[in-house]
Amino acid sequence: MKNLNKKPITRRNIIAFLSKKIGLQTFIFLLIASLAFPILSQPNTGSTDSANKQKDNKTSSEQKAKDESKAKNGLISGNEPFDNFNGVFEHRLQFRLGFGLGRLDSAILNETGQNWLVNSALRQNADPNSPLAIPVKESKNLATTPQYRDITYGYKNKFEIQFAEDWTLGKFGRGNPASVEFVSPRTPNYWASAFEGNRLLRFEGKSQHFRLSYIHPVLGWLMIGPSINIHQYSEKNQISYGSYTSSRPVAGSPDSRTTWSFGGDANAEYSMRGILPGILIKMKLTDWWEIRSRFELLNRSGNFSVFGAQFITQTIGENQGYAGALPIYAGKASDKGNIFFLESSFRYCRFSLDIGMIRQDFKRTYSEYFGDTLSAVNRSDYSARSSLIGISEISTSSRQTTLEIYIMPGVSFQWDADGIY
């Protein structure tokens, strides 16, 4: 041992010493251990430098990957960690596009029954034996196909500016009738009859919304705040008027007179604006799931017009002739009610999928209603609409309800002082 200590401690000297003192089996074990653990076969200083170098390389790689994920020189592909999109953002811009299925309870049909009944009752003063128009059936829950698109800018999860548009379209025919049916009791001058008074051929409603919202965190998962909606609405109804009357022979006119409206259509158009106050609620249940709800008080007003043509055939005795009628009306209308939104939003990084429901419920009234239906045919034979001033329209209201279920995929981009991500 004394002589060994004078020699430098190298791998060769250690192997020679151990092979003499501890035997062959132990020597083989230590040889295997020296191969398995480099620390026994190399100087200690070199081993420490290698470990530090590996640690530095790992740290450098992690930092490089982190820097690359935060590099925001333009729009990136969406491979970023989910955490980049979770939390408070300084700016966010979201685009959404969607479609849905809806049901419509139309005001233009709902007002027809009650107004024609009132008008036919009022004209009894001037024409006591004219037929009454009593509504017996009205179409409800008409199928529609809505479409949506919106752009939303958000600032620090509290302020939102949104521009949204939605279209609701309904086309109706014999297989999906949208009409109001009437009966007329027998009078001294007319036989009893049944007829389709008004048919809705096509409905098209378009809404534009410019919303400003502020939402305040109440709880960690709940945010509530006010909103204001600068709203514009247009509606176009393509309708056709129907009628059927058969007069009874009277003194001085032995031949009966049958009048039937067989064609033609008119466009009833509305253009309205309003400012809608509301409240917005957001419930963030998880990092990827959020429920949103909005309730707005609907109050819009504007102008309306009706213009079209009605084709009439009339048979007197054995003679048959044709005539036309021109319905022309205009005035001012308003809608008052509410709009309710509820949607569930699922999010992955910058992408989202929103499934929701919109219900719009309001009553339509007229402050002004003027016009007439011009024709050479006796009015009582084919029409129960208003003449000159729409007293029944001004004195009553009609309800319209739309219920829509939709799906809207979206994509958002967020940015701060470092750039876009």
Side-chain angles (χ1 to χ4, degrees):
M1 290 295 295
K2 183 176 179 180
N3 295 331
L4 181 63
N5 290 337
K6 294 180 180 179
K7 298 178 180 180
I9 301 177
T10 64
R11 182 169 54 186
R12 179 177 295 179
N13 293 335
I14 292 175
I15 293 174
F17 174 76
L18 291 176
S19 61
K20 293 180 181 179
K21 297 295 183 181
I22 62 178
L24 181 62
Q25 293 180 349
T26 305
F27 169 73
I28 293 173
F29 171 79
L30 291 178
L31 179 62
I32 295 174
S34 67
L35 296 174
F37 300 98
I39 193 171
L40 297 177
S41 59
Q42 296 183 11
N44 186 60
T45 301
S47 172
T48 302
D49 292 343
S50 177
N52 290 336
K53 185 176 181 181
Q54 291 179 4
K55 184 176 179 180
D56 291 341
N57 290 337
K58 183 178 180 181
T59 303
S60 178
S61 299
E62 291 178 350
Q63 184 62 36
K64 183 178 180 181
K66 186 176 180 180
D67 292 340
E68 290 177 354
S69 70
K70 287 183 172 294
K72 304 166 186 176
N73 299 322
L75 305 181
I76 56 180
S77 63
N79 296 323
E80 309 82 39
F82 186 83
D83 290 343
N84 283 358
F85 300 89
N86 187 32
V88 177
F89 50 82
E90 188 168 359
H91 305 281
R92 186 184 73 171
L93 190 62
Q94 183 183 45
F95 301 86
R96 298 193 305 171
L97 187 68
F99 62 93
L101 298 173
R103 291 290 177 178
L104 168 69
D105 186 6
S106 171
I108 199 72
L109 294 179
N110 291 336
E111 71 182 37
T112 299
Q114 60 185 4
N115 291 339
W116 286 28
L117 176 60
V118 173
N119 290 334
S120 64
L122 292 175
R123 72 183 178 190
Q124 298 297 314
N125 293 326
D127 188 0
N129 295 320
S130 62
L132 286 172
I134 302 175
V136 293
K137 183 180 179 181
E138 296 180 350
S139 297
K140 305 287 186 181
N141 295 324
L142 306 174
T144 60
T145 53
Q147 299 180 21
Y148 314 88
R149 65 181 181 183
D150 62 41
I151 301 174
T152 304
Y153 166 75
Y155 177 71
K156 291 189 176 179
N157 280 14
K158 292 186 177 181
F159 299 93
E160 284 188 0
I161 300 174
Q162 182 189 69
F163 176 75
E165 288 186 331
D166 57 82
W167 297 268
T168 300
L169 179 63
K171 296 181 179 180
F172 315 104
R174 294 186 179 275
N176 182 24
S179 60
V180 183
E181 298 179 4
F182 294 85
V183 297
S184 292
R186 176 179 172 178
T187 71
N189 291 350
Y190 290 88
W191 298 106
S193 65
F195 60 94
E196 181 184 85
N198 193 2
R199 175 184 284 269
L200 179 60
L201 304 175
R202 176 187 171 96
F203 172 88
E204 183 178 346
K206 181 179 180 180
S207 295
Q208 292 182 329
H209 311 271
F210 182 73
R211 293 188 175 97
L212 304 173
S213 305
Y214 170 77
I215 46 178
H216 187 77
V218 178
L219 300 173
W221 54 273
L222 178 64
M223 303 179 74
I224 302 176
S227 70
I228 194 75
N229 179 5
I230 302 173
H231 172 62
Q232 184 170 341
Y233 177 75
S234 64
E235 179 180 310
K236 184 177 181 179
N237 301 275
Q238 183 183 3
I239 55 180
S240 66
Y241 295 118
S243 65
Y244 180 87
T245 60
S246 181
S247 65
R248 300 173 64 189
V250 295
S253 179
D255 294 328
S256 63
R257 185 176 65 254
T258 300
T259 307
W260 174 50
S261 177
F262 67 91
D265 60 66
N267 289 323
E269 300 184 9
Y270 298 80
S271 179
M272 301 183 181
R273 295 181 179 182
I275 298 178
L276 285 53
I279 184 170
L280 175 62
I281 300 175
K282 290 187 177 184
M283 294 176 285
K284 190 172 182 61
L285 304 181
T286 67
D287 290 341
W288 50 269
W289 182 25
E290 183 176 81
I291 293 179
R292 296 187 285 263
S293 180
R294 189 191 303 269
F295 181 84
E296 295 177 333
L297 296 176
L298 176 61
N299 187 358
R300 62 193 179 203
S301 59
N303 303 319
F304 85 95
S305 64
V306 179
F307 180 78
Q310 182 178 357
F311 302 131
I312 301 168
T313 180
Q314 190 171 61
T315 302
I316 303 176
E318 296 181 355
N319 300 318
Q320 184 176 9
Y322 298 93
L326 297 176
I328 305 174
Y329 296 90
K332 296 185 180 298
S334 62
D335 297 338
K336 291 185 179 181
N338 60 76
I339 305 176
F340 176 70
F341 298 77
L342 179 65
E343 68 180 17
S344 179
S345 178
F346 303 94
R347 183 168 61 89
Y348 176 74
C349 292
R350 69 173 70 255
F351 306 103
S352 64
L353 181 64
D354 301 336
I355 302 173
M357 177 270 291
I358 302 176
R359 179 182 173 87
Q360 190 173 164
D361 192 352
F362 62 84
K363 286 187 176 182
R364 177 166 294 168
T365 58
Y366 298 93
S367 58
E368 298 178 8
Y369 199 103
F370 305 103
D372 207 341
T373 301
L374 308 177
S375 177
V377 180
N378 180 25
R379 176 186 300 277
S380 299
D381 288 348
Y382 72 93
S383 175
R385 295 190 295 276
S386 298
S387 177
L388 300 181
I389 299 177
I391 296 176
S392 60
E393 286 82 0
I394 294 174
S395 59
T396 60
S397 63
S398 57
R399 183 175 180 177
Q400 179 163 305
T401 303
T402 59
L403 178 62
E404 300 171 353
I405 298 175
Y406 63 87
I407 181 170
M408 294 183 69
V411 60
S412 61
F413 304 95
Q414 294 148 241
W415 72 92
D416 52 25
D418 296 330
I420 300 175
Y421 60 102

